[in-house]
Amino acid sequence: MKEDTDILKTIGRRDGMTVPDGYFADFAARMASQLPERPELAAMAVASAPRTFWGRVRPYVYMAAMFAGVWCMLKMFTTVVGSHELAPIDKNPVMTEALCNEDFMNAYVYDEVSDRDIMDQLMEDGVDAESFGFDIEE
């Protein structure tokens, strides 16, 4: 048999997180009796007018206006930012200047290309090693 190791149970002490028995049985009735009377709420419930055409359509008009506003906002952002396509290199002066800058090319382009990739591309383009004056022994 497993021995109970709860120290609070052994000394007979409780943590105080309990409620008296039957406390919640009539809680709603007691709370309602303690609240102040509000006769204006009863009068408003009885005198409610039938909904008008605008009252029925208003949520849908608001929702349509919200979607139109989101569409206009996205349209404005894409117009300001421009298209996501790069212009050709001859019409893009920033890219032309960057590719002509040797420091830029060494830092960002040449580090990502390995010697094997360069040789493979040269072979695909039809360049052989003899055209560079290398002697290839097989």
Side-chain angles (χ1 to χ4, degrees):
M1 182 160 57
K2 185 174 180 179
E3 185 178 324
D4 192 12
T5 59
D6 189 6
I7 296 172
L8 293 177
K9 284 183 182 177
T10 58
I11 62 172
R13 184 172 177 190
R14 295 175 28 200
D15 61 357
M17 298 292 189
T18 60
V19 293
D21 293 334
Y23 180 77
F24 288 109
D26 62 342
F27 180 77
R30 283 186 290 129
M31 181 61 75
S33 68
Q34 293 176 359
L35 292 174
E37 292 294 324
R38 297 200 48 198
E40 67 271 7
L41 292 179
M44 284 177 49
V46 172
S48 64
R51 292 181 66 184
T52 62
F53 176 73
W54 176 245
R56 285 179 282 152
V57 175
R58 182 173 44 196
Y60 301 108
V61 171
Y62 287 167
M63 186 171 51
M66 181 196 64
F67 283 119
V70 169
W71 180 81
C72 288
M73 182 176 57
L74 290 175
K75 185 72 170 168
M76 181 61 74
F77 287 154
T78 56
T79 302
V80 169
V81 172
S83 66
H84 297 288
E85 297 176 11
L86 290 175
I89 194 71
D90 58 344
K91 295 181 181 173
N92 191 340
V94 175
M95 285 297 293
T96 305
E97 183 181 341
L99 293 175
C100 292
N101 186 347
E102 189 174 330
D103 294 331
F104 175 83
M105 293 297 288
N106 288 333
Y108 295 105
V109 177
Y110 295 146
D111 286 344
E112 296 179 8
V113 179
S114 69
D115 292 339
R116 181 174 295 276
D117 292 337
I118 294 172
M119 291 302 290
D120 288 343
Q121 185 63 42
L122 287 172
M123 292 295 183
E124 287 177 14
D125 291 342
V127 177
D128 56 350
E130 287 131 13
S131 64
F132 288 109
F134 293 122
D135 229 0
I136 298 180
E137 296 178 13
E138 294 185 26

